[in-house]
Amino acid sequence: HLDPFGTAVNYLDAAFRNVRNLGIISVTSTDTSSLYAKSPNVTLRHYGCHIVRTEYYKELAARMVVATVARAAARCNKGIEVLLAVALEHFVLVVVRVLRGPVQADESAKKLRKLMHCQWCEERVFLKLGNMVDGKRKIADESGNFVKKLKSDAALDHPPFYYSIHRHSIRGMNMPKLNKFLQYLTEAGFRVSRTHFDPTGVRTDATLLQFKSVLTKYSVPTCTNASATQTSVSMEKTV
Ligand SMILES: *[C@@H]1O[C@H](CO)[C@@H](O)[C@H](O)[C@H]1NC(C)=O
Ligand SMILES: *[C@@H]1O[C@H](CO)[C@@H](O)[C@H](O)[C@H]1NC(C)=O
């Protein structure tokens, strides 16, 4: 159980060199300023990642730790199976089972992906191995279809990352309750779930544009007086 002051990166090599096959390593990291993108220079030094602060920063932190752990394991010809990944306010905890052997090491190493985040449209996609795209401009210009394609290419068991319903709420409109909204997204054909990383987060395979269009459809104008109330009630019925 690694629980050092701050980052655990300096202890990973020793831990993975010594652990037995099927042993379990638990890594607690309290360097939240670098993990949560408040000191990106330190993030780059310790985790080899260029990051910016995003709405899904906690999941990104957990994934950076997992990736760093997987690389340390691979250097000792070991792979990992992630048993638990948690990111709370003051720490990130990752627990993995160690799988000995070069084949397992290769399999874990091959799962590591580069993530591309567009600061303009806030979309995010994993790149396939060897897949290069002309980042910002292409995502921003053709966001809808281009991102949809990259996302369906990825088609992972669990859609990575999440959108915060609060962050994307529409000004002057009341949004639906989170559980209702999850139901509307499901009815629109998307996979959804909630996430411990953010109580307002929605994990889904919808693109941000699709997410926003469903959110808009089921939001109603904020009522300020009696006649406005009347309007929103009748709108809800037509919806
Ligand atoms: C981070 O690094 C850049 C150069 O890459 C430097 O200009 C900047 O001052 C650094 N920031 C801090 C807070 O050290
Ligand atoms: C009430 O709502 C109506 C329709 O939205 C608007 O025309 C009117 O000015 C509002 N009255 C007040 C007092 O805000």
Side-chain angles (χ1 to χ4, degrees):
H1 182 78
L2 299 178
D3 190 0
F5 180 80
T7 180
V9 294
N10 300 320
Y11 306 97
L12 295 176
D13 284 335
F16 280 98
R17 201 171 308 128
N18 291 296
V19 71
R20 296 174 184 208
N21 190 28
L22 304 182
I24 288 175
I25 293 189
S26 138
V27 180
T28 302
S29 311
T30 54
D31 53 333
T32 48
S33 68
S34 41
L35 286 171
Y36 294 165
K38 285 179 202 134
S39 326
N41 288 12
V42 185
T43 315
L44 182 60
R45 271 180 254 149
H46 288 169
Y47 297 94
C49 301
H50 280 281
I51 59 168
V52 291
R53 178 88 166 191
T54 61
E55 65 188 301
Y56 53 92
Y57 68 95
K58 281 192 176 160
E59 183 170 340
L60 189 61
R63 287 177 181 273
M64 279 194 299
V65 173
V66 169
T68 304
V69 164
R71 285 193 200 97
R75 283 195 290 273
C76 303
N77 293 329
K78 287 163 185 157
I80 58 164
E81 177 192 354
V82 179
L83 302 178
L84 178 75
V86 175
L88 297 179
E89 199 181 340
H90 299 296
F91 66 92
V92 174
L93 168 63
V94 165
V95 181
V96 300
R97 179 179 284 131
V98 177
L99 308 169
R100 229 182 145 125
V103 174
Q104 283 82 355
D106 288 348
E107 279 185 7
S108 294
K110 276 185 204 151
K111 286 183 184 158
L112 303 180
R113 290 279 183 282
K114 286 216 157 75
L115 178 77
M116 188 167 57
H117 176 88
C118 170
Q119 286 186 268
W120 188 78
C121 71
E122 297 189 54
E123 262 304 358
R124 61 305 290 264
V125 286
F126 280 112
L127 299 185
K128 286 200 273 188
L129 284 183
N131 184 358
M132 301 294 284
V133 285
D134 177 12
K136 283 183 198 141
R137 274 200 25 226
K138 189 146 193 180
I139 287 220
D141 293 349
E142 306 164 23
S143 115
N145 291 328
F146 181 65
V147 172
K148 225 181 287 170
K149 179 171 179 321
L150 282 178
K151 285 209 158 183
S152 66
D153 282 356
L156 301 166
D157 291 343
H158 299 283
F161 304 119
Y162 44 88
Y163 305 111
S164 161
I165 186 172
H166 280 299
R167 182 175 175 81
H168 300 292
S169 65
I170 297 118
R171 196 191 295 260
M173 304 276 271
N174 281 332
M175 60 189 177
K177 292 260 181 297
L178 185 49
N179 283 335
K180 272 277 169 204
F181 179 60
L182 293 181
Q183 190 189 319
Y184 297 141
L185 271 176
T186 308
E187 284 163 8
F190 300 111
R191 294 160 61 208
V192 297
S193 76
R194 298 187 61 177
T195 171
H196 88 276
F197 289 116
D198 179 351
T200 72
V202 177
R203 186 186 295 286
T204 177
D205 58 348
T207 65
L208 186 53
L209 283 181
Q210 292 166 328
F211 178 94
K212 282 183 180 168
S213 90
V214 175
L215 189 58
T216 309
K217 185 171 166 192
Y218 293 100
S219 293
V220 293
T222 318
C223 11
T224 47
N225 63 25
S227 94
T229 308
Q230 198 58 45
T231 318
S232 77
V233 167
S234 62
M235 267 192 64
E236 200 159 32
K237 278 186 186 141
T238 56
V239 158

